Amino acid sequence: MLIAQLSDPHVRPEGMLYQDVVDSNAMLATAIAHLNGLDPRPDVVLLSGDLVDKGEVAEYANLRNLLAKLAMPALVIPGNHDDREAFRRAFADQAYLPRSGPMHYVAGGHGAVRVVALDVTVPGLHHGDADEASMLWLDGALSAEPQRPTILMMHQPPFDCGVPYLDLYHCRNGERLAKVVARHPAVERIVCGHVHRFMQLRFGGTVLCTAPSTTTAIALRLKPDAEPVSHVEPPACLLHHWRPDVGLVTHFSPIGSFPGPYPFA
Ligand SMILES: [Fe+2]
């Protein structure tokens, strides 16, 4: 089973730029073409939040137009730049999404790996929260199939990464989440967005990784008083490849045209 992950496309209304400088719409279209061109194609595509930039209806309309080109089924969660209710209305035709409350769900019908989506967003705020209600839901969801290899998807990562302006808006109560995950060894990976960079660490007894954005990268600055900025770095996505005799192998897949191919040596 091959599971692609795109994150933080920050789609704008058709014809409008992200932050007035970057064509995030075109960059999502390029990312979708990248996935459609893979052989084998992914079985499912995870979109780990900040699907649009300002939560506007016109942005969601454009997002759905862009996603219509995707050849594979998608599993979406909101991020802090989404508006939960506008998001829900935009994806009202998607039966896997809940009709009210946080957008938690379990998607087990795309292959061997089950995807558990945890909505840690706090409407109106930029940080996330692993609150007690969501942890109860998660513990129940993970308990339903304790042996099934599982990816847990959420938007804000539940740890301090050392980039000071990112850590202001992490998912709070990470220790509570770590305790729940540690009780469920079938969780092969926790996958997040939000930080617009690739990172990985050990968390709750499993491996956690964050996906780059399909648009701008938030600068990697580790000085405690660093100023927040972004760059247009090469965009990328993640490919999580389930191999039953090996485990879940996560690949970092840059999006774009690069020199080569050259003879392998
Ligand atoms: Fe984002």
Side-chain angles (χ1 to χ4, degrees):
M1 182 181 185
L2 186 61
I3 302 146
Q5 183 185 0
L6 301 178
S7 202
D8 294 81
H10 288 262
V11 164
R12 299 287 289 125
E14 189 176 4
M16 292 185 68
L17 300 177
Y18 170 49
Q19 309 282 16
D20 293 327
V21 288
V22 182
D23 192 347
S24 58
N25 301 335
M27 294 175 91
L28 177 58
T30 302
I32 288 170
H34 174 76
L35 296 183
N36 287 344
L38 293 176
D39 184 14
R41 274 187 178 165
D43 297 285
V44 65
V45 180
L46 311 182
L47 285 129
S48 45
D50 284 359
L51 303 197
V52 306
D53 192 46
K54 298 183 189 297
E56 295 172 359
V57 170
E59 293 179 326
Y60 287 110
N62 194 30
L63 172 68
R64 290 304 305 261
N65 277 340
L66 292 164
L67 288 178
K69 300 270 186 347
L70 188 64
M72 296 73 77
L75 295 172
V76 296
I77 57 168
N80 51 300
H81 281 261
D82 290 292
D83 177 279
R84 186 185 280 168
E85 298 313 318
F87 183 102
R88 199 187 318 270
R89 284 191 291 276
F91 289 100
D93 59 331
Q94 301 296 301
Y96 65 90
L97 289 172
R99 296 284 171 253
S100 63
M103 307 288 259
H104 309 317
Y105 59 87
V106 177
H110 298 285
V113 176
R114 170 182 62 159
V115 175
V116 174
L118 181 70
D119 180 3
V120 295
T121 61
V122 182
L125 296 171
H126 285 298
H127 71 269
D129 190 9
D131 62 24
E132 292 196 22
S134 65
M135 291 304 93
L136 266 176
W137 178 88
L138 178 65
D139 200 36
L142 293 175
S143 299
E145 287 186 276
Q147 311 295 330
R148 180 98 180 263
T150 298
I151 286 178
L152 172 59
M153 169 167 64
M154 52 194 280
H155 182 65
Q156 291 98 337
F159 67 98
D160 278 334
C161 67
V163 177
Y165 37 86
L166 289 175
D167 290 340
L168 294 173
Y169 307 113
H170 68 184
C171 174
R172 295 179 184 167
N173 292 304
E175 59 298 328
R176 191 184 281 154
L177 173 66
K179 277 188 198 147
V180 174
V181 171
R183 290 200 288 274
H184 299 279
V187 177
E188 292 283 338
R189 196 76 85 251
I190 302 173
V191 302
C192 303
H194 189 55
V195 291
H196 294 217
R197 305 204 64 81
F198 179 72
M199 302 176 194
Q200 63 177 352
L201 77 160
R202 181 166 61 178
F203 183 91
T206 187
V207 176
L208 185 156
C209 63
T210 67
S213 167
T214 57
T215 177
T216 52
I218 296 175
L220 173 50
R221 293 182 166 183
L222 297 172
K223 269 180 61 171
D225 58 350
E227 291 291 319
V229 291
S230 291
H231 297 281
V232 184
E233 295 180 6
C237 62
L238 300 182
L239 299 173
H240 308 287
H241 188 197
W242 174 248
R243 304 179 65 216
D245 50 345
V246 175
L248 192 70
V249 182
T250 292
H251 298 270
F252 181 94
S253 179
I255 297 165
S257 302
F258 305 100
Y262 304 114
F264 182 80

